[in-house]
Amino acid sequence: GEDVEQSLFLSVREGDSSVINCTYTDSSSTYLYWYKQEPGAGLQLLTYIFSNMDMKQDQRLTVLLNKKDKHLSLRIADTQTGDSAIYFCAVAGFQKLVFGTGTRLLVSP
Amino acid sequence: DVKVTQSSRYLVKRTGEKVFLECVQDMDHENMFWYRQDPGLGLRLIYFSYDVKMKEKGDIPEGYSVSREKKERFSLILESASTNQTSMYLCASSLEVGLAVTGELFFGEGSRLTVL
């Protein structure tokens, strides 16, 4: 089945850029997503990218997709303490979304 | 706003007890899902349902069952709870045409289950 991998932790200082990486195995996925989970809460959709796109920008968020390497990344510019959360990459498979292991982002002042 | 409500935020049960986790969504969504979340393992799909009375096994269905008698309600049942089922359980719903998942999943806040 589909396998989605992420590094577990990332620590940055406030104001720096954060880059969260994700690799996946199923190249037929049409949509790829980033979800955010704040402490004590469920997941919320942050952004998504269609598989025929290389890049998508949404305010401080930039999603890059390298289909050849099956690599997805999320860049957060000017990271704030409020961005501290767990970030999940997810790819659309048949009948379901497959989620990565999640990356815990810690932003220090 | 779409709302997915999980009835219990925190539960403590004993080994062998029967456990019911309830989930209700208010947006007439077709698809509903149960995931469990464990540190380092991410979210793993237990069961999902794309219609009333329909259910499909996910990646880790063993030890669980589900019930979907009404469109808005999807229940996860642990027939005989075990300590390795201690976890965070997340319910989600989505509105999709057919069986392909191409859109947004809306999640509840989660139910943290501890089995002693």
Side-chain angles (χ1 to χ4, degrees):
Chain A
E2 175 73 78
D3 196 22
V4 182
E5 296 286 338
Q6 298 177 241
S7 54
L8 291 181
F9 295 102
L10 177 64
S11 181
V12 301
R13 288 196 174 277
E14 194 172 22
D16 288 350
S17 291
S18 307
V19 179
I20 302 171
N21 295 300
C22 170
T23 57
Y24 59 96
T25 55
D26 185 358
S27 59
S28 66
S29 300
T30 52
Y31 287 89
L32 301 99
Y33 304 85
W34 284 103
Y35 280 79
K36 178 182 180 183
Q37 184 182 35
E38 295 184 350
L43 280 69
Q44 283 191 302
L45 181 65
L46 201 56
T47 187
Y48 67 93
I49 188 167
F50 190 49
S51 59
N52 68 355
M53 299 168 66
D54 297 325
M55 185 179 85
K56 180 180 179 183
Q57 188 142 7
D58 184 2
Q59 299 183 333
R60 291 190 298 120
L61 305 178
T62 303
V63 180
L64 294 177
L65 175 60
N66 182 328
K67 284 192 71 177
K68 176 175 168 289
D69 294 339
K70 298 178 189 172
H71 183 267
L72 182 73
S73 67
L74 173 70
R75 179 177 179 269
I76 305 172
D78 187 26
T79 313
Q80 303 297 306
T81 54
D83 295 323
S84 292
I86 303 176
Y87 291 81
F88 290 92
C89 159
V91 299
F94 180 63
Q95 296 185 308
K96 61 185 182 181
L97 286 191
V98 180
F99 286 85
T101 48
T103 300
R104 184 179 294 274
L105 174 64
L106 179 63
V107 183
S108 53
Chain B
D1 277 353
V2 174
K3 194 161 179 65
V4 178
T5 303
Q6 295 183 231
S7 55
S8 304
R9 292 295 307 274
Y10 301 94
L11 302 97
V12 179
K13 298 292 182 180
R14 296 204 174 274
T15 301
E17 281 192 87
K18 190 169 186 175
V19 182
F20 292 88
L21 299 179
E22 304 284 340
C23 175
V24 177
Q25 49 95 2
D26 65 359
M27 281 300 291
D28 202 35
H29 282 175
E30 304 290 335
N31 298 336
M32 296 188 75
F33 306 81
W34 275 107
Y35 287 89
R36 66 177 279 177
Q37 180 181 5
D38 300 288
L41 297 177
L43 271 67
R44 293 179 291 166
L45 182 63
I46 305 172
Y47 268 96
F48 63 102
S49 167
Y50 52 87
D51 202 353
V52 176
K53 296 194 185 295
M54 303 298 289
K55 60 184 179 183
E56 294 283 342
K57 291 180 180 179
D59 299 316
I60 53 162
E62 297 79 18
Y64 303 95
S65 61
V66 289
S67 172
R68 189 150 183 218
E69 296 296 319
K70 294 185 178 181
K71 192 175 186 180
E72 68 271 17
R73 187 180 297 270
F74 193 36
S75 302
L76 180 69
I77 303 152
L78 288 67
E79 292 288 342
S80 177
S82 62
T83 54
N84 63 12
Q85 293 178 309
T86 291
S87 186
M88 170 71 86
Y89 290 89
L90 292 168
C91 175
S93 70
S94 73
L95 176 64
E96 296 299 331
V97 176
L99 298 177
V101 178
T102 57
E104 182 176 359
L105 259 61
F106 294 87
F107 282 85
E109 292 184 317
S111 298
R112 185 166 292 282
L113 172 66
T114 301
V115 183
L116 302 175

